[in-house]
């Protein structure tokens, strides 16, 4: 029997996924939406990743497309927890690692402690 992580982070793109993977140590599935989701694509994600029965986090950019996606996901996954980056950084992929680490750890997602140190 294969082990599936109980936590899922939904992001917009591959660069967001890569940036988060650098910081976390927790056993988490990171799912890329590649932008907005149609009904069929969302249903596929829901079934593939068993999103109704997992701890789901929505971590998208603070730009127009990210906000639109967040609203859509909030409607479809009301149990999901939202993680935000400051509008100062706008994108998950360009947010400094120590800021990402703090945001993730605040949601009980384990991170590499080295990223909790602010860059000098």
């Amino acid at each position: 029997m294969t082990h599936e992580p109980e936590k899922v982070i939904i992001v917009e793109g591959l660069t967001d996924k890569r940036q988060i993977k650098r910081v976390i140590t927790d056993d988490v599935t990171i799912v890329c939406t590649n932008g907005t989701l149609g009904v069929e694509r969302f249903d596929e994600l829901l079934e593939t990743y068993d999103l109704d029965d997992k701890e789901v986090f929505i971590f998208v950019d603070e730009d127009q497309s990210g906000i639109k996606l967040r609203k859509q996901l909030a409607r479809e996954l009301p149990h999901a927890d939202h993680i935000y980056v400051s509008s100062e950084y706008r994108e998950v992929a360009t947010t400094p690692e120590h800021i990402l680490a703090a945001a993730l750890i605040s949601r009980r997602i384990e991170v590499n402690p080295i990223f909790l140190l602010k860059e000098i």
Side-chain angles (χ1 to χ4, degrees):
M1 185 173 183
T2 60
H3 166 76
E4 282 192 34
E6 291 300 312
K7 296 177 184 174
V8 176
I9 300 174
I10 299 175
V11 299
E12 287 178 84
L14 196 53
T15 55
D16 300 328
K17 180 177 181 173
R18 284 190 196 121
Q19 183 75 335
I20 291 170
K21 278 187 121 175
R22 287 173 41 100
V23 174
I24 64 172
T25 57
D26 214 338
D27 189 15
V28 176
T29 299
I30 303 173
V31 177
C32 295
T33 65
N34 299 312
T36 56
L37 289 173
V39 174
E40 283 180 24
R41 173 78 172 122
F42 178 77
D43 287 344
E44 178 186 313
L45 290 177
L46 191 64
E47 189 174 313
T48 301
Y49 298 101
D50 197 20
L51 297 178
D52 283 333
D53 297 318
K54 300 276 173 81
E55 191 172 2
V56 178
F57 300 90
I58 299 169
F59 201 0
V60 296
D61 298 343
E62 286 300 311
D63 58 13
Q64 190 174 358
S65 62
I67 292 167
K68 180 179 176 185
L69 179 59
R70 185 182 296 281
K71 286 179 182 175
Q72 178 187 6
L73 290 169
R75 278 193 308 272
E76 302 291 342
L77 298 166
H79 70 287
D81 196 358
H82 295 262
I83 305 173
Y84 296 89
V85 294
S86 167
S87 55
E88 172 185 355
Y89 304 114
R90 292 183 52 90
E91 298 177 6
V92 173
T94 58
T95 300
E97 284 100 346
H98 69 279
I99 303 289
L100 281 181
L104 291 161
I105 207 162
S106 74
R107 296 303 193 277
R108 300 166 321 281
I109 296 171
E110 295 170 25
V111 300
N112 183 329
I114 195 76
F115 292 112
L116 294 173
L117 301 172
K118 186 173 179 173
E119 292 179 348
I120 299 171

